[in-house]
Structure formats: structure tokens, C-alpha cells
Amino acid sequence: MLGALVPRASPGPRDWRWQPVEPQRNCRGNPNCLVGIGEHVWLGEIDENSFHNIDDPNSERRKKNAFVGLTNLGATCYVNTFLQMWFLNLELRQALYLCPSTCSEYVTGQGIPKDRDYEPQTICEHLQYLFALLQNSNRRYIDPSGFVKALGLDTGQQQDAQEFSKLFMSLLEDTLSKQKNPDVRNIVQKQFCGEYAYVTVCNQCGRESKLISKFYELELNIQGHKQLTDCITEFLKVPTPMESYCFCSTHKALVSLPSHNLFLNRQTGHKKKLNTYIGFSELLDMEPFMEQKDGVYIYELSAVLIHRGVSAYSGHYIAHVKDPQTGEWYKFNDEDIEKMEGKKLQLGIEEDLAEPSKSQTRKPKCGKGTHCSRNAYMLVYRLQTREKSLTAEVPTFLQELVERDNCKFEEWCNEMSDMRKQSVVRGKIKHEEVKELYQRLPAEAGCPYEFVSLEWLQKWLDESTPPKPIDNTACLCSHGKLHPDKISIMKRISEYVADYFYRRYGGGPRLNVKALCKDCVVERCRILRLKNQLNEDYKTVTNLLKITVKGNDGFWVGKSSLRSWRQLALEQLNEQDDDADQNNGKMNGDAQNKDESTEEKREEEEELNFNEDLVCPHGDLCISENERRVVSKEAWKKLKQYFPKAPEFPSSKECCSQCKVSEYLMTFLFFQETDELYIVSQFFVEEWRKFVSRRPTRCSPVSSVGNSALLCPHGGLMFTFASMTREDSKLIALIWPSEWEAIQKLFVVDHVIKIIRMQTAETSPESTLFNSEPKLCPECREGLLCQQQRDLREYTQATIYVHKVVDNKKVMKEAAPELNVSSSEAEEEREEAKPEGEQDPDFNQTNGGAKRQKISHQNYVVYQKQGIRRSTRHRKVRGEKALLVSANQTLKELKIQIMHAFSVAPFDQNLSIDGKILNDDTATLGALGVIPESVILLKVTRIVWYLSFSVCMPEEGFKGKTLISSPFI
């Protein structure tokens, strides 16, 4: 911090002083640390300007003898450059001032009421008012939005300056042609309009014909030329007979020139800028190019329009314009106007800021009175005369409007100055307050103290915003006292300072030494002890699981539950913390959070709890021993402490009789014709089916059966017979022996894998045994299951589903099976229907030897106790959308995906999964428990209308704009 209380060498009573030190970080977990919370802004000497963020209004005031700038409304720099050049054309400005106004109050001499703003009605009136402001305004820059709006220009799209100039001059000329005053009616023709003739000469008889054409500027081709005069010569070039068609030759001849000439064209056919240097002089003699050489045609350079950028529709425009009255050059760059030193044109900096060209050429040397540029887009030459420059006087009516605007500006300046002064006064008072209170802020040992939130203290020390009343409700528990978890965001301050705060700013409730909730502290300690005990019990259970259980003195536990029991127990403890937080939320005005969470939990299909993975669809012990194991009584007793409601099955418990019968029937149906089945990967089946039945001309043929992917590194099988017909059916396909013989003839097989039914004397379902070649590898099977669990937390590009809840009612997955579509199927298989009667290579047949059906994972339905357990392969329904996500993706990034999918802004999204609210935008999806195939509920907190972005259409210039079809004409 900038200052801190430190004792002197020999401290006495109150012998303290401020000593500047380096800023330090605050210990956010320590309620006694009051360093680095924003106090360094106030300690020590402070400049008055730091008490406000209001710029000096005088910086917006026009300087003496300076020109007024124009605001860039987005992409209107090309308009601003022309307005400044036209303004400095005194003849044009004076002519516009002479145009009569159509304002009825002005015509009748009544004057415009002060409570009503002036609104120009014609293009001439807009220019009049704009020029009057540029001439006599007190502002540093003015807003030309009225003029731009009247022309119908798009402020966000830059147009070609040359095209704008020609169209506007044509519009202005047509508008002024209706004026009675000839000085006004003919001003555009006199200043900007010239004539040249297309001269056609017969090469046989010498007869000559002319076609007169008007121009506002000479569009000269600079490509291949180094000097402006060379460009003019090419423009007026006389073709030779060999160059002419038939027996005639054609050339152009200058008939008359205006007072102002505009030259250059740096565009290619695609409006791409030519970045080649061109030389031009300050004085230009046009007599050699004239048809009649009996006049004065000496022109002097008066303006240079500069373009930075590669295209006429991008980049930036500025203008260097000479003041006709003083002869000094000024650089006009929207709001900023810079006077050039001396009376010389300076274009060097404009060349340095230009875009580097691929064919960069060295800048040629320029002699005295000449210049060269590769960014000069237009050159404006003015007829040189010895007459004294005009003085354009602002009419009384316009001057009255300018003075009215100047009064508004002065009022604004005074208002800003008063606000600055008031801010300084308040800042000084706050400065003294902070310096005094911060010294007494720490609570001394044995003295009364109170808790105040760190956030409020930081706002109190923030000079930019005045502090609001103290609000401690967010730190309260469900009992109305200070929550122990909120201590980390609170600060302990002295009772003296707390009394001052509450008197000055109000708020509450006040949290003194007795405010800490004893019940919540006890509960938190209990949970912490349980978590510590969980670590000890985990080690104990791990050791107990190593002991072999003899006889029937044990209990059945699901292998999946054993792998994740510690995580499940930890989640239960965390849920108790969440319940306490939700109760706290009820005290703070969020009572509906818990109700919504409970409702969503009921709506969501429940996940398997501890030991429910060995429960069969009938609520009894499942028949598959590969999915369960026996643990000792001691181990079960420990596990039961954490999961008292877990299903309990002693090792002597018989398997479900109904499942035995079902298994027997299934086995009987499967093996009524054979005692062995062969195995291939489902990937091979899908690739072959795609080639044969889907798109054989667009798919590569299948040449081999890669079964090595189904075996472990030791060569053992990694799947059990039970898993092949259930959760692993998406990886495994069972094949008839006859089909296998055909496969061996058609494809290269790396490994033969088969399932064999063991013949026994008994015919009961319990006696049916299966063996595999190669044998099952138990260690690798366990490793595969563990890896699958890890993959659920460490995945990339996995599919999850977002379900939009309408009126708090979730559409159940089984409600409309005809709408179910699996999003994980290949795109082409979703688009094309499966041919009827297609022979499925997977093994299965019905009772009467009818058509076999594929045993697939999505068709296998497992029944939970008292309900339906959902298949691990999700089936999408109406109202859901599938999204591709990664485990390391943040919740904020997911909300952006949801915004694009559902058109719901992130701040309107209320997301939950399995009844748990997802609100930490910085947390990753893996940390939040979002796994592949998860379903996230989306609730919209409010309805928002969104504007769709229009597609950028090809450039159409000024098509449809006022410049082409003007309401003023």
C-alpha cells in the first residue's frame, strides 16, 4: 500500500506517522488482514484530479483562430474530408449563405422559439447550418449526423469518396438550379464543372465532329506514370490512324475549366487501390492542354485528399487543405485538426503510415515546389487569382442558431465544471474520513469488534462509486447468524468504526462477537471429522478387501460400487453442505432454489446408488457373478456406516429365480442349433453393412477383420458373455458358425474368438456354463472397467444433451418413442432408412426360427427396483439438443454453445444436472460431474427477443440512397 501506520524510533503515546510502502495483497482467508483492500488510493497526498473522472470541459472548447472538427459517426471520415474542403471554398460557402430559408418563422421574421430545436428541411439548409457552426461555433468539433442522415448514408459502411463527391455535386447542382439568384444558381458549375469534347476526325477527308461532355473532376489513370502532367497527357491522347477504328481517329480536348479542378484515380476495376508514387507540383499550368489558349490557366494546389488502406471501401480518409485567407496548410482528421508548421504542404508522415505494398518502390526525390505521394487519392487545384479572398459572413438567422448552440455548450461546460468541483469537495471529505477511520479500523485485542463484508469495505474505499448501505444477509446461515464458511469473505473491524459506518451508511444486520452460529460450526466440524474418518476408513476397507472370505461368512458387493464407494461417500457429505447452503439461500431471498432443485431431482431419472449395480430388474440379486464379489463382514460393516440404505445380500443369498429362468430361456433360444458362437467387432459389421447396403460407390471395401482390438496385451478376452449381450453389445457382434465360415473365406482374420456352451448333465438354467477362446483376462477386464470410469471424467469431444424445460415439466424419454433419435449414429445412417429384410450378422433368433434381430445396447432395457433403469446409451427426444463438449471446457463456454443452440443468453440460463445447480462459470465440466451422455436441464429465467444478424451483401455503392433519389429535389 502507499502508506501504513508504523511507529517512530522511540514511540510514545499516539506517536505514529504515515510512511509510504509498496502495495501488498490482501489475505482473503484472514478476517484480521486489512491490507490491500483499496486503502492505498487514499493514503498520502492525493492530486485533486483523482477525485473525479470528468475531463476538463475546456478541452472541448475551440482554440483561438482554430478550425472546428467533425465527429466521425462510424465510417463517415470520407464525408468529413469533403465537408472541410467545401467549407474552405469561400465562394461556395458564400453562395450557400445566400440561399433563402424555408423556415416559416424565419421568413415571417418571428424567430424560432427557444423551446424548439431547429430542423433543416432541405440539403442546402443542412449545409448552411453546418457551415455556420464550422465558422462560429465555440465547440472543438461538431456533430454532422443531421446532414449524414438527410443524405440517407449508412454510418457503419464506408463508401468510395470519389463516387460520393460526384453524386453529391450532381444533387447540389440540381437543387441550386431552382434558385433565382444567378450567383447561387450557377455556383456549382462555376466552381467544379468543366467541359471537354470528344473530337472525331476523318482520316480521309479531315472532317471534324465534336461531342461536348461535362465533368466535375478529371479521372486520371496513374498506372504506369510518374507525374501528374503525364496522366493528363494520356487522358487527352490523340490516337494514330493505326490505333483508330475504321477511317476515323478520336481524342479528347479540354474546352473549359472550372475554378477548382480535381484529379487522380487510384482504383482498379475492383476498387482496389494502386499504391504507386505520383508526382505533382504546387503550381499547375493547364494552358498546354486547352483547346483555346487565350486565357489564364494557372492553378495552385489547394487540397490533397489522403486515403490509408487497400480498398476504396475500407481504410481511413484525411485531408490536407490550404486556408485561402492565410495560405497556411491544415490537416483535417475528423475531430482533430492540426496546423502545419510554416506554409508548406507536409505529406511525409502520411506516407510512413501507409500500408506496406508487396511491390514497394522507393520514394522518388521531389524538387522545390513539387510533391510525390502514393496515398494521395484526390488533388484539388484552385485557379490562381490576384483578387483578395472573400469574406463569407454568416446570415443573422444562422448566427442566432449558432449562438443558441454556443449557449448550450457554455451551460454544459459550467455544469461539468460544477460537477468536478463537487467531486473534489466530496473526495477531500472522503480522504479525511478514510485516513482517520483506517487507522482505527483494526480491532485491538480484548476490545469489542464486528464483522463487515470485504466486498462492502472495498466499495467504501472505491473512489469511483459511493458506498451503499451495508448488507450482511448474504453471510447468514439458516439460523439467521454468521455462517462459518463466510468468515473468509468478512473482515473483523473495531466497534468504533462499525458504529460510524452504520450511522453514516445504514444497513445491517450487525454481526458482533456473538454472531457466529454455534450450530453451524458444530455441523461443519462434524462433516470435517467425517471426511477425515473417511480417509482412514478407506485404508481400512482396502486392507479388508485383500482378505479372502471363507464359506458363506460375507456379503455380496457390486464391483462398480467398490471402485467408486469413496467418491460416493464424499459426494454424500458434500450434499449435506449443499443442503445447508440452500437453507442459507432461503434466508437470503432465494427460497425457490431448494424447491427447484428438489423438483429437478425428482424429474431426473435416478442414478445407481451404492450396491445397486448388483440388483436385478426384479429387485433381487443379479445372476452375473462377474459383476460382483464377496467381502468380509468387517468390510461390509464399514461400508454400511456410509450407506445405511444400500441393498444387503449375504454371500449365502441365492440369485434371482426369475432371472435364472430368463437366462435359461435366452440360452435355449440362442443355442438350440449350435454350441458355439464366433465374435467380431461391431466396427467391422458396421463398415461392411455401410459398404454393401448404404453407399458402396462412396465407401472403401472392407478387407480384414481386426479382432485384436477385442483382446488385451496378454492375448486374453476383455469381455464376458453377459456383458456382450448388454452394455458391451455396441462393441461386440455374435456370429453363427455358418456366417463365420463365409467371413473366413472373404476376409483376412487376425484372431479367432468364440464362445462355447459347456454341455452338462443337468438341464436347469443354473447349470448352463460358457467358456471362451481365448480365455477371459480378469486383470485386464478390471483395468478396462477402471479406464472407462476415468474416461467419464477425462474426455474430449463427447456428446451431452441439453433439455429445455417448458413450464417446469420435463418431457420423459419414454413418452414418445417414435420421436427418439440416437445422436451418436453416423450421419448417413440417420438420413437413410434401413432396407427391409436386411440380414443382420449379429446373433439372435426368435422362438419359431423367424427373422433374427440385432442384440444392441440401445434395445437392452434394465429394470430398476420399483422402476426403469435407463440404458447407458441415451435416446434423444423432442426439446433436447446434442452438443459436443470436452471435460476441460468451462461452464461459461458451454453456456455460449447453449446460446447458439437455443437462442438463450448465458445470463438467462438456469442449468442443473441430477438436481444440482450449475452456477460456477469458471469450473470445468469434468469438475462439475458432467460426463458423456449426460442430460443437462435448461430453464429460461426470462423471455428475450434476439435480433438476427443480417448477412453482409455485396457492395452496391450508394444504391437506394438519398444521393440518387433525393426528397429535397
Side-chain angles (χ1 to χ4, degrees):
M1 60 183 180
L2 295 179
L5 281 173
V6 296
R8 295 182 185 272
S10 301
R14 298 184 179 275
D15 195 8
W16 296 82
R17 63 185 174 86
W18 289 103
Q19 176 176 321
V21 296
E22 292 296 325
Q24 300 178 12
R25 296 180 60 183
N26 181 255
C27 304
R28 297 183 68 88
N30 182 4
N32 296 317
C33 180
L34 297 171
V35 177
I37 60 176
E39 75 285 350
H40 64 275
V41 176
W42 301 96
L43 304 182
E45 298 299 327
I46 301 179
D47 183 11
E48 288 187 358
N49 291 325
S50 63
F51 289 130
H52 57 76
N53 57 357
I54 304 173
D55 293 332
D56 186 0
N58 290 318
S59 63
E60 301 296 305
R61 191 182 300 277
R62 177 183 184 178
K63 295 181 180 179
K64 187 178 180 180
N65 298 326
F67 288 104
V68 176
L70 290 166
T71 303
N72 191 334
L73 305 177
T76 57
C77 54
Y78 69 99
V79 179
N80 292 346
T81 54
F82 277 104
L83 284 174
Q84 295 288 9
M85 286 194 295
W86 294 331
F87 170 74
L88 287 177
N89 186 322
L90 298 180
E91 292 84 355
L92 176 63
R93 195 197 317 175
Q94 182 63 36
L96 287 173
Y97 284 161
L98 295 177
C99 287
S101 175
T102 60
C103 179
S104 59
E105 289 86 353
Y106 172 68
V107 173
T108 58
Q110 299 176 1
I112 298 177
K114 294 184 178 181
D115 58 347
R116 199 181 80 187
D117 292 334
Y118 172 61
E119 296 181 1
Q121 300 300 313
T122 66
I123 193 65
C124 292
E125 290 181 1
H126 275 284
L127 270 180
Q128 280 181 336
Y129 185 44
L130 199 59
F131 283 177
L133 289 173
L134 288 174
Q135 185 167 341
N136 290 335
S137 176
N138 291 343
R139 301 177 187 269
R140 186 170 65 88
Y141 53 85
I142 60 175
D143 185 357
S145 56
F147 174 77
V148 172
K149 183 178 180 180
L151 292 178
L153 300 176
D154 184 358
T155 59
Q157 183 179 6
Q158 187 166 140
Q159 303 289 352
D160 177 21
Q162 182 186 13
E163 185 178 2
F164 167 75
S165 174
K166 288 192 295 184
L167 291 174
F168 182 79
M169 280 297 141
S170 178
L171 170 64
L172 186 62
E173 180 182 9
D174 191 62
T175 304
L176 296 179
S177 65
K178 302 176 178 61
Q179 297 293 323
K180 296 180 180 180
N181 189 336
D183 293 335
V184 178
R185 184 174 60 248
N186 302 323
I187 186 63
V188 174
Q189 293 92 327
K190 180 180 178 181
Q191 291 293 314
F192 303 103
C193 188
E195 291 182 344
Y196 61 79
Y198 284 95
V199 182
T200 303
V201 181
C202 179
N203 296 325
Q204 299 296 323
C205 65
R207 186 176 178 179
E208 181 179 281
S209 62
K210 294 182 181 180
L211 177 63
I212 304 298
S213 178
K214 290 184 178 182
F215 66 88
Y216 292 107
E217 65 269 343
L218 292 176
E219 298 182 27
L220 305 180
N221 178 27
I222 68 171
Q223 195 166 15
H225 300 293
K226 296 182 179 180
Q227 297 295 327
L228 176 63
T229 53
D230 297 335
C231 301
I232 302 174
T233 301
E234 185 197 40
F235 179 79
L236 303 173
K237 182 180 179 182
V238 178
T240 63
M242 292 296 295
E243 294 174 332
S244 61
Y245 293 99
C246 301
F247 299 98
C248 297
S249 61
T250 304
H251 68 277
K252 291 189 285 289
L254 292 176
V255 177
S256 64
L257 291 177
S259 298
H260 285 76
N261 265 328
L262 286 80
F263 298 100
L264 290 194
N265 178 11
R266 285 190 176 270
Q267 296 176 176
T268 63
H270 300 286
K271 300 294 184 181
K272 185 177 179 181
K273 177 182 168 186
L274 297 173
N275 286 309
T276 57
Y277 280 101
I278 190 70
F280 52 92
S281 60
E282 293 186 5
L283 293 178
L284 178 63
D285 186 2
M286 292 294 293
E287 184 178 2
F289 308 106
M290 298 299 297
E291 185 179 38
Q292 302 293 333
K293 306 182 185 300
D294 55 353
V296 179
Y297 298 104
I298 304 297
Y299 285 80
E300 59 180 354
L301 188 66
S302 62
V304 180
L305 180 60
I306 301 294
H307 175 262
R308 301 172 185 166
V310 297
S311 168
Y313 297 122
S314 63
H316 184 61
Y317 289 93
I318 63 174
H320 290 253
V321 187
K322 180 192 288 189
D323 184 354
Q325 294 179 318
T326 64
E328 296 174 328
W329 283 90
Y330 289 83
K331 176 182 175 181
F332 293 86
N333 187 5
D334 294 329
E335 296 93 343
D336 300 323
I337 299 176
E338 178 185 355
K339 181 181 178 182
M340 300 290 102
E341 295 182 2
K343 294 186 177 182
K344 294 183 179 181
L345 174 64
Q346 302 172 30
L347 298 177
I349 188 172
E350 313 305 340
E351 305 305 315
D352 296 338
L353 293 175
E355 296 77 11
S357 176
K358 293 182 180 179
S359 57
Q360 185 75 34
T361 57
R362 181 178 297 180
K363 182 178 180 180
K365 293 183 179 180
C366 300
K368 184 178 181 181
T370 61
H371 305 275
C372 59
S373 171
R374 60 188 178 96
N375 290 304
Y377 190 76
M378 279 191 177
L379 302 177
V380 182
Y381 283 85
R382 174 187 175 87
L383 185 63
Q384 189 179 47
T385 61
R386 296 181 181 180
E387 298 177 4
K388 187 178 180 181
S389 298
L390 295 175
T391 302
E393 296 292 338
V394 178
T396 305
F397 163 64
L398 291 174
Q399 184 60 33
E400 179 184 343
L401 295 174
V402 172
E403 291 176 356
R404 182 183 300 184
D405 182 76
N406 287 339
C407 290
K408 292 181 180 179
F409 174 71
E410 296 300 331
E411 291 175 359
W412 176 83
C413 289
N414 294 333
E415 183 179 351
M416 291 297 104
S417 298
D418 292 341
M419 291 177 62
R420 283 166 57 95
K421 292 177 182 178
Q422 293 173 9
S423 297
V424 170
V425 172
R426 288 195 300 267
K428 289 182 177 180
I429 296 175
K430 182 68 173 291
H431 186 204
E432 297 301 323
E433 176 189 63
V434 172
K435 287 180 65 175
E436 177 185 357
L437 293 181
Y438 187 75
Q439 298 180 46
R440 308 187 65 171
L441 196 62
E444 299 181 3
C447 296
Y449 62 86
E450 293 191 22
F451 287 99
V452 176
S453 72
L454 171 62
E455 181 182 7
W456 188 89
L457 282 176
Q458 290 174 329
K459 289 182 178 179
W460 172 63
L461 292 169
D462 184 2
E463 75 279 6
S464 62
T465 56
K468 297 180 180 179
I470 301 173
D471 185 7
N472 290 327
T473 55
C475 303
L476 303 181
C477 67
S478 58
H479 311 102
K481 294 189 175 183
L482 180 60
H483 197 291
D485 286 347
K486 304 298 183 181
I487 294 294
S488 60
I489 61 173
M490 306 293 287
K491 292 301 178 183
R492 193 169 67 98
I493 65 174
S494 65
E495 187 180 58
Y496 171 84
V497 178
D499 288 338
Y500 178 87
F501 282 159
Y502 285 106
R503 284 197 311 269
R504 175 75 183 275
Y505 303 106
R510 301 185 67 163
L511 304 175
N512 55 21
V513 65
K514 298 180 180 180
L516 187 62
C517 183
K518 181 179 179 181
D519 295 337
C520 289
V521 172
V522 171
E523 177 64 16
R524 183 47 46 88
C525 292
R526 184 186 71 83
I527 292 176
L528 290 175
R529 285 197 299 269
L530 288 176
K531 289 184 178 181
N532 292 332
Q533 185 62 40
L534 175 61
N535 294 330
E536 298 297 326
D537 289 343
Y538 178 75
K539 298 177 183 177
T540 302
V541 172
T542 302
N543 293 327
L544 291 174
L545 292 177
K546 298 177 182 179
I547 301 174
T548 303
V549 181
K550 298 180 180 180
N552 293 327
D553 191 17
F555 292 85
W556 287 109
V557 180
K559 291 183 179 180
S560 177
S561 293
L562 278 179
R563 286 191 295 268
S564 58
W565 79 269
R566 182 185 183 185
Q567 181 65 25
L568 290 173
L570 187 61
E571 289 176 357
Q572 287 186 168
L573 294 176
N574 291 334
E575 285 176 2
Q576 297 180 23
D577 286 348
D578 293 340
D579 291 340
D581 291 340
Q582 289 173 356
N583 290 333
N584 175 42
K586 188 174 182 179
M587 294 291 296
N588 296 331
D590 297 328
Q592 62 180 6
N593 288 350
K594 183 177 180 181
D595 297 336
E596 290 179 356
S597 177
T598 304
E599 180 184 349
E600 291 170 358
K601 202 166 186 177
R602 290 173 186 160
E603 292 170 347
E604 276 288 289
E605 296 172 329
E606 297 181 356
E607 288 186 350
L608 294 182
N609 294 320
F610 180 79
N611 219 30
E612 288 185 356
D613 51 331
L614 51 70
V615 178
C616 75
H618 311 101
D620 212 336
L621 182 63
C622 68
I623 61 176
S624 176
E625 294 189 12
N626 292 322
E627 305 300 327
R628 51 187 168 92
R629 62 168 292 184
V630 177
V631 301
S632 62
K633 285 185 178 180
E634 292 79 7
W636 177 250
K637 185 178 179 181
K638 285 288 184 184
L639 294 172
K640 197 71 173 178
Q641 292 177 358
Y642 291 96
F643 310 103
K645 297 181 180 180
E648 184 175 300
F649 298 104
S651 57
S652 58
K653 173 73 175 177
E654 293 292 334
C655 298
C656 177
S657 59
Q658 298 182 58
C659 289
K660 290 180 180 179
V661 174
S662 300
E663 185 74 11
Y664 172 75
L665 292 175
M666 183 179 69
T667 305
F668 176 76
L669 293 175
F670 283 1
F671 292 130
Q672 59 178 337
E673 297 180 5
T674 182
D675 288 334
E676 63 182 18
L677 296 173
Y678 289 83
I679 296 174
V680 296
S681 68
Q682 192 66 256
F683 175 77
F684 163 78
V685 174
E686 291 173 354
E687 290 297 306
W688 174 249
R689 181 189 303 148
K690 188 188 304 182
F691 174 73
V692 173
S693 305
R694 302 297 181 190
R695 299 175 181 176
T697 60
R698 301 171 64 179
C699 300
S700 301
V702 182
S703 59
S704 62
V705 178
N707 276 348
S708 59
L710 306 178
L711 302 178
C712 72
H714 313 104
L717 188 61
M718 300 178 65
F719 308 94
T720 66
F721 176 77
S723 70
M724 292 179 194
T725 60
R726 288 182 294 190
E727 64 268 20
D728 291 329
S729 64
K730 58 185 176 183
L731 304 174
I732 300 295
L734 301 174
I735 303 298
W736 287 102
S738 60
E739 294 172 324
W740 179 250
E741 291 179 5
I743 287 176
Q744 285 186 307
K745 294 178 182 179
L746 296 173
F747 306 99
V748 177
V749 181
D750 55 355
H751 294 282
V752 178
I753 306 175
K754 62 181 178 179
I755 297 293
I756 304 171
R757 183 181 66 160
M758 307 301 295
Q759 298 290 345
T760 61
E762 301 178 17
T763 58
S764 62
E766 298 87 353
S767 62
T768 304
L769 300 177
F770 303 96
N771 199 359
S772 65
E773 292 181 4
K775 300 290 185 182
L776 177 71
C777 183
E779 293 81 9
C780 292
R781 171 67 179 171
E782 279 295 311
L784 175 63
L785 295 176
C786 292
Q787 180 63 41
Q788 290 174 349
Q789 291 292 328
R790 286 195 297 270
D791 290 344
L792 293 179
R793 302 288 179 181
E794 303 173 0
Y795 55 89
T796 56
Q797 294 297 302
T799 301
I800 66 169
Y801 300 88
V802 178
H803 183 95
K804 186 176 180 181
V805 179
V806 181
D807 296 332
N808 293 331
K809 295 181 180 179
K810 182 175 183 292
V811 180
M812 299 302 294
K813 304 296 179 292
E814 294 82 13
E818 70 278 3
L819 299 176
N820 290 350
V821 178
S822 175
S823 65
S824 59
E825 294 177 358
E827 186 66 26
E828 59 270 23
E829 295 194 5
R830 290 205 297 266
E831 295 172 355
E832 301 177 20
K834 185 175 180 179
E836 292 188 9
E838 178 183 82
Q839 292 297 322
D840 195 322
D842 292 350
F843 173 81
N844 188 14
Q845 76 174 25
T846 56
N847 228 343
K851 183 179 69 173
R852 291 170 299 188
Q853 296 179 348
K854 178 180 177 181
I855 301 177
S856 61
H857 194 64
Q858 67 265 30
N859 294 329
Y860 180 78
V861 181
V862 185
Y863 290 89
Q864 267 189 3
K865 197 169 37 171
Q866 312 259 336
I868 297 177
R869 183 182 304 168
R870 187 174 63 193
S871 168
T872 56
R873 190 173 189 181
H874 180 80
R875 298 180 69 85
K876 194 172 66 172
V877 298
R878 181 176 298 170
E880 281 187 1
K881 292 188 180 181
L883 301 178
L884 284 178
V885 298
S886 302
N888 59 354
Q889 182 176 328
T890 63
L891 180 62
K892 182 178 180 180
E893 294 170 338
L894 174 62
K895 287 184 176 181
I896 294 175
Q897 284 184 263
I898 294 175
M899 177 183 69
H900 292 297
F902 290 91
S903 296
V904 177
F907 48 82
D908 288 339
Q909 298 175 19
N910 194 346
L911 304 179
S912 64
I913 181 171
D914 299 329
K916 179 182 178 182
I917 303 296
L918 304 179
N919 52 18
D920 187 356
D921 288 345
T922 61
T924 62
L925 300 186
L928 294 173
V930 179
I931 63 175
E933 302 293 316
S934 292
V935 179
I936 294 179
L937 291 185
L938 165 65
K939 287 186 178 180
V940 182
T941 56
R942 59 176 177 153
I943 300 177
V944 181
W945 289 95
Y946 292 94
L947 296 177
S948 60
F949 291 94
S950 58
V951 179
C952 226
M953 300 303 292
E955 176 60 47
E956 296 185 3
F958 293 95
K959 182 178 180 180
K961 302 294 190 299
T962 306
L963 286 172
I964 295 179
S965 178
S966 174
F968 303 123
I969 298 176

